[in-house]
Amino acid sequence: MSDKSSNQMWGGRFAAGPDSIMEAINASIGFDKRMAAQDIAGSRAHAAMLAAQGIVTPSDAEAMREGLLTVLSEIETGEFTFSTELEDIHMNVEARLKEVIGEPAGRLHTGRSRNDQVATDFRLWVRDQLDAASSGLTALIRALLTQAEAGADWVMPGFTHLQTAQPVTWGHHTMAYVEMFARDLSRVEDARKRMNESPLGAAALAGTSFPIDREMTAEALGFDRPMANSLDAVSDRDFALEFLGAASISAMHLSRMAEELVIWSSAQFRFVTLSDRFSTGSSIMPQKKNPDAAELIRAKIGRIFGAQVALMMVMKGLPLAYSKDMQEDKEQVFDAADNWILALAAMEGMVKDMTANSENLEAAASAGFSTATDLADWLVRTLDLPFRDAHHVTGSLVALAEEKKCDLPDLSLEDMQTVHAEITEDVFEVLGVHNSVASRTSYGGTAPQCVREQVARWKKVIG
Ligand code: ARG
C-alpha cells in the first residue's frame, strides 16, 4: 500500500505526498472552482452515457447523477469545502461524490481523463461568456440606436486629427459605434459556432477502448458534434484565444468611445452631460464631476489584450497533446471575461443615461470654418471652377474670415467678392451647418435621412 499522505487519485504509484511548494504551484482549485457547474454538467452527461452504453449499471449512473446534484447544491450554497490537496475542481468534485455516494463514484472516471474533462468544462464556460457578451453588446447597440434616433439631425463637428473637419450629425457619429459593436457581435457569434464541438471522450489523448458514445454526450451538453481528433481535442485552446481576440477588439472599441466621452464631458467641450449615476466627485474639489467609468473602460483594454498575449505565449511551442502549461489558460480568460462584460454594461449604462447638449454641439459645429468644403464644392458646382482652384479660393476666404475674426457665414458678399468676383448670394445657403449635413446623402453619409435609414435597418437586425 502507498503512504497514507500520497494522493488518493493516483496514490498507487506514489510513496509520498507532494511538497507544500509543489502543491502551491500545482493547484488550480483557487480559480477553477468557477467551472464547478460546467464540471458537474459534464460529469452528469458522461454518467448517463456510460449507463446507456452498458459500461456502468443504470443504478450506479443514477447514484452518480443524483450525487453530483447534491455536490452542486453544496457548492452553490457555500457549504462545500474546497481542498488544495485535491488540486482542481475535477478532483474536488469527484472526492466529495465518493463521500456522498460511496463506491459507484469510483466508476465515473471510466473512459475519460481530466484532460478531456478540463477541455470540456472550459469550453462550456467560455461558451457561456460568449453568450453573456452577446447580450451585453446587443443591449449597448440598443442604447446607441436610441441616442442616434433622438439626435438624427443634431449637428456637431466631425473631427480628423481632433481638429474640426466637417459638420456631421450626432446620429451619424453614434451610428459609427453601432457598426463597430455590431462587428464585435458577429465576431462573437462566429467564434461560438466554431468552438461548439465537444472534447469529451477524447480521454487522456488517444481516445478510449470503452464503447463510449461521444455524440450522446456532445448533444447533452449542447455541442453541435464531438471533436474529430482526440489529440486536438485535449490540446486545443483556440476557442479561448478567439474569445480573447474578440474581447480585445471589442475592448478597443469601448476604449475609443470612452475616450470620446471623457473629452466630450469636459468643461471645454460640454458636448454631453454624464449622469450622476455614472460619475464620481472629488474629495477636495467640490465642483468636480469625473467620468471615472469611462476612464476605467478606456483602461480595461490593457488587461484584456494582455490576457490574449499571455495565453498566446503559453500555447506557443507546446508539443501535442496536453501539458500542464495549459492550466495557465483560465485566470487570463476569467479576468478578461469579467472585465469585458462589466465594461459593456458600464458603457450601456452611460450611453442610456447621458444627455447630449444639442445647442453646444451645434455651436461647436459652426465654429472652425467647418463648412469650408461645402464652400469649395459650391464653387465647383456653380462657377465650374476646377476643385484645386476652388480649394485655393476657399483657403483665401478662410484667411479673410480669420483676419476679421469671424466665421465664414459672417463674411459679407462684398468681402467674398474681393476674393472671387463671381460669388453670389446663393453661397450663404451652403455655409449653414444644417444644409451642409443635409446635403451629404451619399450612401453611408451623415445626412439625417441616411441616419434614419441606418437606424431602421439596425433595429430590424437587432430586434
Ligand atoms: N487542473 C488541470 C488544468 O487546469 C486539469 C487537467 C490536468 N491534467 C493532467 N494531466 N494533469 O489543466
Side-chain angles (χ1 to χ4, degrees), residues 28 32 88 90 114-115 118 322 324 327 330:
S28 55
D32 67 16
D88 56 25
H90 325 296
R114 276 189 301 152
N115 297 350
V118 71
Y322 178 86
K324 196 61 172 258
Q327 182 167 287
K330 285 167 218 68

Side-chain angles (χ1 to χ4, degrees), residues 10 26-29 31-32 35 86-91 113-119 122 204 237 322-330:
W10 54 74
N26 201 35
S28 55
I29 189 62
F31 48 88
D32 67 16
M35 306 193 303
L86 289 166
E87 199 181 312
D88 56 25
I89 186 64
H90 325 296
M91 296 203 287
S113 147
R114 276 189 301 152
N115 297 350
D116 58 338
Q117 202 180 348
V118 71
F122 197 30
R237 292 295 181 271
Y322 178 86
S323 295
K324 196 61 172 258
D325 309 50
M326 289 160 74
Q327 182 167 287
E328 288 287 313
D329 55 3
K330 285 167 218 68

Side-chain angles (χ1 to χ4, degrees), residues 26 33 110 149 154 158 199 223 229 239 246 264 296 299 313 333 387 399 403 406 414 425 457:
N26 201 35
K33 61 180 166 206
T110 315
E149 197 165 32
W154 300 344
F223 288 117
N229 183 299
F239 64 95
W264 290 356
L296 288 163
M313 298 310 286
V333 173
F387 185 77
E403 198 185 299
C406 68
E414 294 71 45
E425 192 68 35
R457 180 172 77 84

Side-chain angles (χ1 to χ4, degrees), residues 1-323:
M1 275 309 282
S2 59
D3 182 279
K4 266 219 144 117
S5 61
S6 72
N7 189 290
Q8 56 173 288
M9 298 291 168
W10 54 74
R13 194 209 175 287
F14 283 69
D19 189 272
S20 63
I21 292 181
M22 177 59 199
E23 203 171 278
I25 194 172
N26 201 35
S28 55
I29 189 62
F31 48 88
D32 67 16
K33 61 180 166 206
R34 286 190 70 170
M35 306 193 303
Q38 289 78 10
D39 191 71
I40 286 171
S43 288
R44 294 189 80 238
H46 186 67
M49 182 278 293
L50 290 177
Q53 295 300 101
I55 301 167
V56 302
T57 63
S59 66
D60 278 355
E62 207 32 50
M64 291 178 213
R65 286 170 54 80
E66 279 302 306
L68 284 163
L69 286 184
T70 307
V71 177
L72 179 62
S73 84
E74 288 176 0
I75 293 173
E76 282 172 352
T77 55
E79 290 160 54
F80 193 96
T81 320
F82 292 102
S83 140
T84 318
E85 241 168 84
L86 289 166
E87 199 181 312
D88 56 25
I89 186 64
H90 325 296
M91 296 203 287
N92 268 268
V93 168
E94 193 184 318
R96 178 67 188 134
L97 184 66
K98 179 125 193 263
E99 288 168 6
V100 177
I101 67 167
E103 194 260 2
R107 299 180 187 277
L108 175 61
H109 215 50
T110 315
R112 77 168 185 191
S113 147
R114 276 189 301 152
N115 297 350
D116 58 338
Q117 202 180 348
V118 71
T120 304
D121 294 2
F122 197 30
R123 255 174 212 262
L124 291 172
W125 196 90
V126 169
R127 194 177 69 185
D128 285 349
Q129 301 307 305
L130 285 169
D131 291 344
S134 229
S135 309
L137 283 162
T138 306
L140 174 55
I141 290 170
R142 285 209 184 97
L144 287 163
L145 287 172
T146 304
Q147 284 284 354
E149 197 165 32
D153 40 24
W154 300 344
V155 283
M156 64 179 284
F159 299 96
T160 60
H161 316 267
L162 200 55
Q163 307 285 323
T164 298
Q166 293 174 350
V168 295
T169 50
W170 167 260
H172 195 52
H173 197 114
T174 313
M175 289 303 287
Y177 283 104
V178 167
E179 293 289 332
M180 290 178 238
F181 294 123
R183 280 196 298 275
D184 293 346
L185 188 58
S186 84
R187 254 183 292 277
V188 165
E189 286 163 358
D190 195 40
R192 194 190 194 285
K193 252 182 248 156
R194 200 165 18 257
M195 65 93 74
N196 202 30
E197 295 188 338
S198 173
L200 193 57
L205 74 164
T208 174
S209 57
F210 290 101
I212 59 169
D213 181 351
R214 293 191 58 208
E215 299 277 351
M216 181 179 168
T217 46
E219 198 189 319
L221 296 169
F223 288 117
D224 296 329
R225 65 192 77 82
M227 291 179 78
N229 183 299
S230 61
L231 288 165
D232 179 50
V234 294
S235 65
D236 167 53
R237 292 295 181 271
D238 291 1
F239 64 95
L241 287 165
E242 279 198 52
F243 174 81
L244 294 173
S248 295
I249 295 175
S250 177
M252 175 273 290
H253 291 150
L254 287 165
S255 184
R256 294 182 76 176
M257 184 165 186
E259 166 69 357
E260 295 209 318
L261 293 180
V262 170
I263 296 173
W264 290 356
S265 60
S266 68
Q268 289 71 22
F269 272 73
R270 290 180 198 275
F271 282 7
V272 296
T273 307
L274 299 176
S275 74
D276 289 355
R277 298 186 338 133
F278 285 94
S279 313
T280 56
S282 157
S283 56
I284 175 168
M285 296 166 282
Q287 86 284 10
K288 292 270 278 186
K289 196 166 146 185
N290 295 326
D292 291 31
E295 293 169 280
L296 288 163
I297 292 171
R298 185 173 61 185
K300 295 241 182 248
I301 173 79
R303 61 203 293 166
I304 294 173
F305 192 61
Q308 184 174 30
V309 173
L311 186 53
M312 278 296 241
M313 298 310 286
V314 167
M315 295 307 294
K316 78 171 264 302
L318 285 189
L320 301 187
Y322 178 86
S323 295

